[in-house]
């Protein structure tokens, strides 16, 4: 219940902020790369892209299903921010925090300036944060992490 509330709250807060933000200078760069991948071009082989390629690939998959747009690409980051809030609250609960404390963790995360400013635009920060929090959640709750959890976290 608390995890779901954190996900919804973060989606609403970052989603509203994203809808009213101006265009970031890097967003066109990421969207152009995603559009090129959608049309069959390969990053590093057919065109130069100085960033990690996972965001253009992810956006390209989405752009094959719906029309490419800034709003659609921003939804990927809003979803990443919302899922990060859920992972953070779930990790707090797994570590033994009462529901009230886990909920407070979600509220503080939603009120943080980092998700509002960095995760509301088309950049890699939201998904990177989601991957790191998920890896942290896999390893930290165990007193002595099993090698398979450590391997999963590293992947």
């Amino acid at each position: 219940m608390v995890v779901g509330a954190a996900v919804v709250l973060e989606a609403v807060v970052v989603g509203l902020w994203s809808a009213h933000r101006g265009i970031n200078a890097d967003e066109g760069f990421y969207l152009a790369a995603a559009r090129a991948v959608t049309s069959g071009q390969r990053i590093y082989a057919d065109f130069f892209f100085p960033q990690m390629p996972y965001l253009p690939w992810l956006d390209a998959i989405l752009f094959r299903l719906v029309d490419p747009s800034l709003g659609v690409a921003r939804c990927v980051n809003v979803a990443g921010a919302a899922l990060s809030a859920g992972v953070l609250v779930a990790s707090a609960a797994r570590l033994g925090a009462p529901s009230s404390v886990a909920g407070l963790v979600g509220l503080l995360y939603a009120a943080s300036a980092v998700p509002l400013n960095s995760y509301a635009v088309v950049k890699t920060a939201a998904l990177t944060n989601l991957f790191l929090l998920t890896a942290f959640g896999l390893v930290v709750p165990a007193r002595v992490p099993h090698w398979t959890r450590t391997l999963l976290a590293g992947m």
Side-chain angles (χ1 to χ4, degrees), residues 26-37:
D26 291 336
E27 288 181 305
F29 190 62
Y30 282 108
L31 292 173
R35 193 164 158 185
V37 171

Side-chain angles (χ1 to χ4, degrees), residues 67-81:
D67 289 333
S69 72
L70 178 64
V72 168
R74 282 187 174 182
C75 284
V76 171
N77 288 4
V78 170

